[in-house]
Each structure stands twice: as structure tokens, then as C-alpha cells.
Amino acid sequence: MREHFVLAEGDKFHIFEQLEPGAFIYDPDYAVQEPRTDDFMIIQIISDARRADEKAATIKALCENLGTTLGVKSQDVVVVLSTISTLEDFSLGHGISATTAAAAPA
């Protein structure tokens, strides 16, 4: 994420949720050449708008890194990029939009 989305060092907000077998219903064959396994996961990324090449590079790197480090097969990784229009759609705390916070002196 940091390499392809050019994120700041402290920009880390992650939620990991592991579901019990049977609690995650999915089609093992939908839109893939090989069936998905029990390692199937969905990664959702919410961010500000990004260029197409940044998004493509991030998705590719996620799949490759999961395969290399954890042995997760590429058909087991679905990535959903949810982008917002502007920083005013974010608040990083105190009920202040990110646009206002970014404009305030440090």
C-alpha cells in the first residue's frame, strides 16, 4: 500500500475479521479459472481518488505478496477499491473534515 498508493508512514487503519466455516457464503467458481479454497478473502480498501495505474499496481502487489508470504492463491483474493471524491468526504478525528485538517497549520 505504501509503495503503490504513496501512503504516509503512520497511515495504518486495518480491520481483520476471520469468519467461522459456513459463515462466509461465496461461489467458489465465480469469475475464476480454478475454484476458490477455504483461504478465500475479500480485501476492501477505502481511499481518496487514485489513478488507474496506482490501483492496478496495488491490486497486483497485494495478490503477489499474499501468494509469496502466505501461500494464498490468486483466485482466493478479491480486492474492492472504494474511492471517495475529495478529502472533505473523510474525517480522521475530532469531527473535522480532512480538507480542513490538512489546511490547518501544524
Side-chain angles (χ1 to χ4, degrees):
M1 291 294 299
R2 192 167 297 121
E3 179 181 350
H4 300 290
F5 260 41
V6 192
L7 296 178
E9 178 67 29
D11 195 347
K12 299 176 189 173
F13 301 91
H14 303 90
I15 298 171
F16 297 94
E17 184 176 1
Q18 185 170 345
L19 301 174
E20 295 297 321
F24 189 12
I25 300 168
Y26 60 90
D27 184 335
D29 300 306
Y30 185 79
V32 291
Q33 296 171 350
E34 296 178 44
R36 293 180 173 90
T37 72
D38 290 339
D39 291 333
F40 178 62
M41 64 181 72
I42 297 175
I43 299 171
Q44 181 179 19
I45 301 168
I46 302 170
S47 81
D48 56 340
R50 299 293 174 152
R51 296 187 329 256
D53 61 323
E54 289 176 313
K55 294 187 272 188
T58 298
I59 291 169
K60 182 177 181 183
L62 279 170
C63 287
E64 289 174 352
N65 289 339
L66 285 167
T68 301
T69 60
L70 300 176
V72 176
K73 296 179 180 182
S74 61
Q75 72 264 24
D76 285 332
V77 181
V78 168
V79 179
V80 179
L81 294 173
S82 301
T83 56
I84 56 156
S85 302
T86 65
L87 287 178
E88 67 191 28
D89 295 334
F90 267 107
S91 172
L92 298 173
H94 303 292
I96 301 168
S97 80
T99 304
T100 304

